[in-house]
Amino acid sequence: MRHVTLPDGTKVPALGQGSWKMGERGADRRAEAATLRLGLDLGLTLIDTAEMYADGGAEEVVAEAIAGRRDEVFLVSKVYPHNAGGARLTQACEASLRRLRVTVLDLYLLHWRGGIPLADTVAGFERLRERGLIRRWGVSNLDADELEELGAALPDCATDQVLYNLQARGPEFDLLPFCEGRGMPVMAYSPVGQGGALLRDAALRRVAARHGCSAARIALAWVLRRPGVIAIPKASDPAHLRDNAAAPAVALTEADLRELDTAFPPPRRKQALAML
């Protein structure tokens, strides 16, 4: 498994696990936790979740998955924008910790920007870090100009989690270079797209056929081709999870990349940051 280095020198797997939509159906929770545990067995030890997902239900699924294995896991959660300041930030973090059944988060992210000033959120994150409730903080769905607003705090921002896949290449124009130049990894959510449209693309299927694998594996390998990107796909079952876990072994050729560039052209100008 290839690793990515965070600004503080910590190494994390380039391929992790997402949990969006987990915990929404009680009948599925045991199977979802089992799939996450299989991911840990396969080296996908970074798990991303959020208080928003299933109103905390996803965090509860993650808690079941990592029970007895906390030391193996790099645990990420996210705070709602309306909770990202003052006492509400502390309360939100403590609630996530209770649902996850842990005492500290490895990384705590602002889920997206809201009405609370970024400086206030950063100050709150630092207080949480001083109390030992989080080890690092970062952001999600912020563009390069918004990251610049962090000013002197920017070197302490561990990552920016954004929508990035073959259909959403806007970050390549300026956000990815901005982060790469500062040693800040980008965490790609929905790296194989949403709704399945991407995976039905003819060019992607041709590349997959040449490699004898699924279109999803190629889409994920494409995201992982950049050294400063961490991908956090969500897997719904063991077969899907094993397919994801094989993606880092795929070596895309120059011909593959040219064909994918033709089907999904890279950005030629600044684009508004897409988000789900």
Side-chain angles (χ1 to χ4, degrees):
M1 175 66 69
R2 181 172 63 82
H3 285 72
V4 172
T5 304
L6 300 179
D8 66 359
T10 301
K11 294 185 182 300
V12 298
L15 181 61
Q17 302 184 78
S19 63
W20 188 26
K21 295 190 178 298
M22 287 186 178
E24 293 183 351
R25 284 168 37 93
D28 296 335
R29 287 190 176 195
R30 182 173 295 180
E32 290 166 344
T35 299
L36 288 170
R37 282 196 298 274
L38 174 61
L40 298 182
D41 295 339
L42 296 174
L44 282 61
T45 55
L46 185 153
I47 297 180
D48 174 82
T49 189
E51 67 171 342
M52 184 188 82
Y53 301 163
D55 293 327
E59 290 179 323
E60 293 170 350
V61 171
V62 172
E64 183 176 343
I66 68 174
R69 305 181 67 171
R70 176 64 181 96
D71 291 345
E72 301 175 41
V73 180
F74 188 91
L75 187 57
V76 185
S77 193
K78 299 183 285 291
V79 61
Y80 269 123
H82 59 263
N83 286 336
R88 294 188 69 165
L89 177 57
T90 300
Q91 292 163 3
C93 181
E94 290 175 338
S96 286
L97 292 171
R98 285 194 298 272
R99 287 188 293 266
L100 288 161
R101 288 181 259 155
V102 299
T103 59
V104 61
L105 289 170
D106 295 299
L107 178 58
Y108 199 33
L109 307 180
L110 171 65
H111 207 151
W112 67 89
R113 188 170 190 173
I116 295 173
L118 289 177
D120 292 355
T121 298
V122 169
F125 281 155
E126 289 296 346
R127 287 192 292 270
L128 293 175
R129 185 156 66 167
E130 290 169 4
R131 288 185 56 193
L133 301 182
I134 68 172
R135 294 191 172 108
R136 299 160 197 85
W137 60 264
V139 296
S140 182
N141 296 302
L142 264 62
D143 212 341
D145 57 340
E146 295 174 304
L147 289 175
E148 287 185 321
E149 291 182 39
L150 293 174
L154 182 58
D156 293 319
C157 182
T159 191
D160 187 6
Q161 184 180 123
V162 299
L163 177 66
Y164 179 53
N165 57 49
L166 276 163
Q167 293 173 312
R169 297 186 65 170
E172 291 179 3
F173 186 80
D174 58 349
L175 178 60
L176 292 186
F178 178 92
C179 293
E180 288 168 359
R182 289 157 180 79
M184 180 197 303
V186 166
M187 196 175 291
Y189 70 81
S190 296
V192 298
Q194 283 290 111
L198 170 59
L199 303 183
R200 293 190 293 270
D201 178 79
L204 187 60
R205 286 178 174 271
R206 285 194 297 270
V207 174
R210 288 200 294 270
H211 287 267
C213 68
S214 70
R217 196 183 303 181
I218 296 298
L220 192 50
W222 180 87
V223 170
L224 293 170
R225 81 199 188 286
R226 297 187 73 115
V229 174
I230 301 161
I232 49 169
K234 178 241 183 180
S236 56
D237 59 67
H240 185 185
L241 189 284
R242 291 183 186 278
D243 192 49
N244 286 349
V250 176
L252 296 174
T253 67
E254 289 300 320
D256 295 333
L257 294 174
R258 284 194 299 270
E259 185 166 0
L260 293 173
D261 280 348
T262 299
F264 304 95
R268 296 183 179 276
R269 61 182 63 86
K270 171 70 177 177
Q271 299 176 4
L273 189 66
M275 64 179 287
L276 296 175

